[in-house]
């Protein structure tokens, strides 16, 4: 789980390149990323952090992993919602992207594993 998270996170951030920022901002002339990881989940970095949260806490106990996973999911979902409100206001194409990519934080497992193996094979 940890390695899947690390790979997903790294590739999603690499895909954004210099457009990656820590805060909630819309950059001038920002475009929507719709390929690779962003084609299966709108917020792959948050998804990868959720995997990290659950995977790391599995070392302690299943209850801890579930609890921290739920807490992180709620926090990430709240932040992603704020980001999406800002993107909808400033980038008209974002609404269409939301319709094409319905997974906000949790991609379908089949799509996740397909992307993980395909992207890893192409990257390595």
């Amino acid at each position: 789980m940890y390695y899947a998270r690390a790979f997903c996170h790294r590739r999603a951030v690499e895909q954004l390149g210099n457009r990656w920022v820590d805060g909630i901002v819309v950059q001038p002339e920002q475009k929507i990323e719709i390929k690779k990881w962003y084609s299966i989940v709108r917020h792959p970095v948050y998804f990868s952090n959720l995997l990290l949260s659950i995977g790391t806490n599995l070392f302690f106990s299943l209850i801890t992993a579930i609890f921290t996973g739920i807490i992180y999911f709620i926090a990430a979902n709240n932040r992603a919602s704020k980001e999406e409100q800002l993107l909808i206001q400033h980038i008209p194409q974002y609404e269409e992207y939301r319709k094409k990519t319905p997974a906000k934080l949790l991609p379908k497992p089949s799509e996740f594993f397909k992307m993980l193996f395909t992207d890893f094979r192409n990257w390595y």
Side-chain angles (χ1 to χ4, degrees):
M1 186 178 283
Y2 175 79
Y3 292 111
R5 176 270 173 197
F7 186 75
C8 175
H9 183 89
R10 178 177 177 177
R11 296 296 284 164
V13 171
E14 281 177 357
Q15 199 172 331
L16 288 177
N18 63 357
R19 294 177 290 157
W20 165 254
V21 294
D22 244 353
I24 300 176
V25 297
V26 175
Q27 297 176 348
E29 300 181 30
Q30 182 171 335
K31 296 179 181 171
I32 303 298
E33 186 64 53
I34 60 172
K35 297 177 182 171
K36 297 183 181 180
W37 289 98
Y38 293 87
S39 70
I40 64 168
V41 61
R42 295 193 309 264
H43 299 276
V45 173
Y46 294 153
F47 169 66
S48 68
N49 288 339
L50 178 63
L51 291 179
L52 177 66
S53 175
I54 294 170
T56 302
N57 285 293
L58 277 174
F59 284 110
F60 300 108
S61 75
L62 180 60
I63 301 294
T64 304
I66 292 170
F67 178 73
T68 57
I70 290 170
I71 296 298
Y72 181 80
F73 180 83
I74 292 168
N77 189 52
N78 185 36
R79 183 177 169 115
S81 295
K82 290 177 183 176
E83 285 181 13
E84 290 192 344
Q85 289 172 358
L86 192 63
L87 289 168
I88 289 168
Q89 290 173 1
H90 292 88
I91 303 172
Q93 302 86 353
Y94 194 79
E95 192 62 48
E96 182 181 332
Y97 169 64
R98 283 179 61 181
K99 291 176 185 172
K100 287 182 180 178
T101 312
K104 184 178 188 178
L105 294 175
L106 300 173
K108 292 179 183 175
S110 61
E111 290 179 349
F112 168 71
F113 286 111
K114 181 180 176 185
M115 179 59 69
L116 181 65
F117 294 124
T118 302
D119 197 25
F120 184 76
R121 192 172 42 240
N122 293 335
W123 174 71
Y124 194 62

